Amino acid sequence: MAALLKRIVSGGQTGVDRGALDAALDMQFPCGGWCPAGRLAEDGSIPNRYPLTELPNAGYEERTLQNLLDSDGTVVIHFGVLSGGTLETCEWCVARGKPMKIIDAATMPQTTAAEEIGRFTERYNIETLNVAGPRTSKAPQAQQYTRDALTLMLERYVKPFLK
């Protein structure tokens, strides 16, 4: 089956968010999303290389919710226990009836995660995929894990169908 995925969105925070955007940028795949006003992140201002749109007068929660609402489904990558904004994202998906795939990166290799994400996008006909999870201060390995898993997913499930 040909992939329908057309865009990856995330909020630009360090960790999972940037790993998702890095993978898309590396593969020259469309990406973007909403970020907090002032491009706020735990390391200061989100670098301009990430094609994000500031959500006026918004913080982390508003940005997260808007990316979730503007997407067809969300992949949540976490490491062990779900907590904080990552847990809240899962709760919002359930409350709004949005498709969600939870990847526990503490126990799942990137190759398996890539397969799971690819199957998720196909099963739910995802065109815009939101990717969420912990920031670097909560999971130092999050950015690289996410970048690797999504790069593998794009190579296997999307790139062969691009003309």
Side-chain angles (χ1 to χ4, degrees), residues 77-95:
I77 297 175
H78 71 103
F79 296 79
V81 178
L82 284 166
S83 63
T86 305
L87 175 60
E88 193 170 52
T89 300
C90 295
E91 292 168 347
W92 287 342
C93 285
V94 170

Side-chain angles (χ1 to χ4, degrees), residues 5 7 9 67-76 93 98-101 120-121 124-131:
L5 188 64
R7 187 169 187 240
V9 299
N67 282 326
L68 185 150
L69 293 173
D70 287 351
S71 64
D72 301 306
T74 297
V75 168
V76 174
C93 285
K98 288 284 204 168
M100 171 182 56
K101 179 68 183 171
F120 170 74
T121 62
Y124 290 99
N125 298 316
I126 306 292
E127 290 187 8
T128 300
L129 178 66
N130 181 38
V131 182

Side-chain angles (χ1 to χ4, degrees), residues 32-44:
W34 296 101
C35 68
R39 297 181 69 88
L40 182 65
E42 77 172 350
D43 63 346

Side-chain angles (χ1 to χ4, degrees), residues 131-151:
V131 182
R135 59 184 66 189
T136 298
S137 63
K138 303 280 185 189
Q141 70 279 43
Q143 188 165 341
Q144 191 63 53
Y145 178 96
T146 304
R147 184 181 202 159
D148 293 345
L150 282 173
T151 297

Side-chain angles (χ1 to χ4, degrees), residues 37-57:
R39 297 181 69 88
L40 182 65
E42 77 172 350
D43 63 346
S45 182
I46 298 168
N48 288 330
R49 79 181 223 91
Y50 298 109
L52 301 171
T53 304
E54 288 183 48
L55 191 58
N57 304 312

